[in-house]
Amino acid sequence: MYRLIALALVIILLEVYTFQAFKTILKDKWILYSYQVISIGLILYIAYNILQFDRSQGQTQQSLSTIGLILILVIPKLVITLFLFGEDIYRSLVAGIRFFTSSPKPDEFLPDRRRFISLIALGLAAIPFSSLIYGIFRGKYNFKVIKNEIPYDDLPEAFDGLTITHISDIHSGSFDNPEKIKYAIDLINEQNSDLILFTGDIVNTHAREMYPWIDTFKQIKTPQFGKYSILGNHDYGEYVTWNSAKEKMENFENIKNLHKKIDFKLLLNESVEIKKGQDSIQLVGVENWGHNFKKAGDLNKAAEKVKAEDFKILMSHDPSHWEHEVKTHPKNFQLTLSGHTHGMQFGIEIPNFFKWSPVQYVYKQWAGLYQEFNRYIYVNRGFGFHAYPGRVGIWPEITVIKLTKNRI
């Protein structure tokens, strides 16, 4: 009850300040009344969709749209409210000074709201408003191929120049445009990599989400050294209500079978040896292990057949695994590939210069390449999207990593 009251007060506060901003610059009452009717109507529509949410179904196109609409309405209004609240602090200070230094008339006591402040507030609010809309209609399918080259002293000679295409976080239940997904599959194939690795979250919750897309993802060509995958936190069905434990387990088995249907070899706390001539590297795949999420991964079990001196590529969905266990592990995992964060699907990136997202305050490694103790982790920004049905500044990613032999 208290949460509902607090939420209602926040909504009222945002609406009051946003209305004040429009009222300051617009004199036509019909426009103001129209804004109020539309705004209240959208709030009621959102409330209705929230009340209709079915926890047994999880994320749906309707819930995705609702979350998108919430962000489009709330974030710009929050910007306006912060600006006008700051002006109210100024107005209150002026009123206090007037009260103690002079005897103003009642209508002169509190300064009028300044029009240019409202204009600035509305102008700044237009930035997230337009960005969020762009993210929904264009940004979520704005696929980028990002290439990295990593040198190693201990890379076996035969694997000098090995190329890996890395994708993560498909979240097939969120897709709504077959042409865009086909375009992304074509991009993957165009890279002509030696090895393709997928690091988890094939669905939002249910195996059936992937069924319409099986034929599309099956078109990913199998390269020289194969296609391998692991599970992510969403693949365990943890975030919905099930009718029975049996139903949940059946869904989990169906999700694991999806990987076979798209011709990927699913690694479940196990390793495989990839050979070329007399040389070999070890590919290790763990189930999901997250510091704040499901810990099904067992790194020791997955790596029981490999030696510390072997060259290893580890697939682990959640990058917190690297931070808390992998980077100091005695088996020495030279390269870890992860995903999970999506870069929060929101941020600012200027390649080789600046990178920011709110998710960086939760995850130390959240997008791109990181190195510690002469070990690397690459965090893919994600192929799909979840919750917010779009992307702003952090675009969907297809990663290509080239491993080279350091000869210096």
Side-chain angles (χ1 to χ4, degrees), residues 147-152 160-164 400-404:
K147 298 185 177 184
N148 292 267
E149 185 173 312
I150 308 177
Y152 286 98
D160 184 17
L162 176 77
T163 54
I164 303 166
V400 178
I401 295 175
K402 183 178 182 180
L403 306 184
T404 59

Side-chain angles (χ1 to χ4, degrees), residues 132 135-137 139-140 344-346 385-392:
L132 288 165
I136 291 172
F137 289 99
K140 65 186 179 185
M344 205 174 176
Q345 298 169 209
F346 181 88
F385 51 93
H386 184 257
Y388 165 56
R391 284 179 175 265
V392 178

Side-chain angles (χ1 to χ4, degrees), residues 150-155 160 374 376 403-408:
I150 308 177
Y152 286 98
D153 295 331
D154 56 347
L155 181 70
D160 184 17
N374 203 33
Y376 290 87
L403 306 184
T404 59
K405 180 79 172 176
N406 195 342
R407 303 183 186 281
I408 298 176

